[in-house]
């Protein structure tokens, strides 16, 4: 994956080129169709999904919480805090996602600890807003 594509995703935008290179080496690109359930409330979180293209809806207990689009990230709270998913996310259009598994995050902790620390800051901010 081209690190320049990661730079366009806000959660990665402030990282150094070296850190982006480490992430790009591990990241996978996934296309999903409209109506695909990306994550399910209550499941354990094994990956982080960054939306490069497309839109999704976030629901908790069947209630719509938010709409997501390019640049938004899903799953980081569960992966970094090793918790169950707190919401369901469903694609509302065809999507292109950048994914990192929990294993990738553990590898990044060794090769690009500042990148993981940055993700943890994002999680802390979201936890405060939840």
């Amino acid at each position: 994956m081209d690190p320049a594509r990661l730079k366009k995703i806000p959660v990665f935008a402030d990282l150094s080129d070296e850190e982006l290179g480490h992430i790009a080496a591990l990241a996978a690109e996934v296309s999903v169709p409209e109506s695909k359930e990306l994550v399910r409330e209550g499941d354990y979180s094994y990956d982080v999904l960054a939306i490069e293209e497309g839109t999704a809806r976030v629901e908790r207990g069947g209630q719509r919480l938010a709409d997501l689009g390019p640049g938004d990230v899903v799953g980081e709270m569960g992966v970094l805090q090793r918790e169950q998913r707190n919401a369901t996310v469903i694609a509302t259009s065809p999507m292109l996602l950048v994914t990192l598994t929990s294993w990738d995050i553990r590898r990044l902790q060794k090769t690009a600890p500042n990148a993981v620390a940055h993700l943890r800051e994002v999680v802390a901010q979201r936890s405060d807003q939840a």
Side-chain angles (χ1 to χ4, degrees), residues 9 11-12 48-51 68-69 71-76 119 122 126:
I9 299 171
V11 72
F12 302 126
V48 175
L49 310 170
I51 301 171
L68 303 176
D72 288 322
V73 178
V74 175
E76 76 288 353
L119 278 174
V122 169
R126 286 203 185 164

Side-chain angles (χ1 to χ4, degrees), residues 7-20:
K7 195 90 170 153
K8 295 177 186 172
I9 299 171
V11 72
F12 302 126
D14 294 334
L15 299 175
S16 72
D17 289 343
E18 181 181 356
E19 290 164 334
L20 289 171

Side-chain angles (χ1 to χ4, degrees), residues 55-68 88 90 92:
T55 56
R57 178 178 67 247
V58 181
E59 298 177 350
R60 183 180 300 138
Q63 297 291 321
R64 179 187 221 121
L65 295 180
D67 294 308
L68 303 176
T88 296
I90 302 162
T92 55

Side-chain angles (χ1 to χ4, degrees), residues 85-120:
R85 300 206 185 263
N86 63 11
T88 296
V89 180
I90 302 162
T92 55
S93 74
M95 299 181 78
L96 181 60
L97 305 171
V98 176
T99 67
L100 290 166
T101 66
S102 54
W103 177 247
D104 295 333
I105 299 293
R106 283 195 293 277
R107 289 178 65 191
L108 282 173
Q109 186 63 52
K110 293 181 178 130
T111 61
N114 288 340
V116 176
H118 181 67
L119 278 174
R120 288 188 191 285

Side-chain angles (χ1 to χ4, degrees), residues 27-82:
E29 182 180 323
V30 178
S31 294
V32 298
E34 182 176 356
S35 301
K36 168 87 173 161
E37 189 176 84
L38 304 178
V39 301
R40 181 177 295 176
E41 183 178 356
D43 284 355
Y44 281 93
S45 190
Y46 298 106
D47 47 15
V48 175
L49 310 170
I51 301 171
E52 192 168 15
E53 296 175 9
T55 56
R57 178 178 67 247
V58 181
E59 298 177 350
R60 183 180 300 138
Q63 297 291 321
R64 179 187 221 121
L65 295 180
D67 294 308
L68 303 176
D72 288 322
V73 178
V74 175
E76 76 288 353
M77 293 173 88
V79 168
L80 293 171
Q81 297 176 346
R82 296 193 177 134

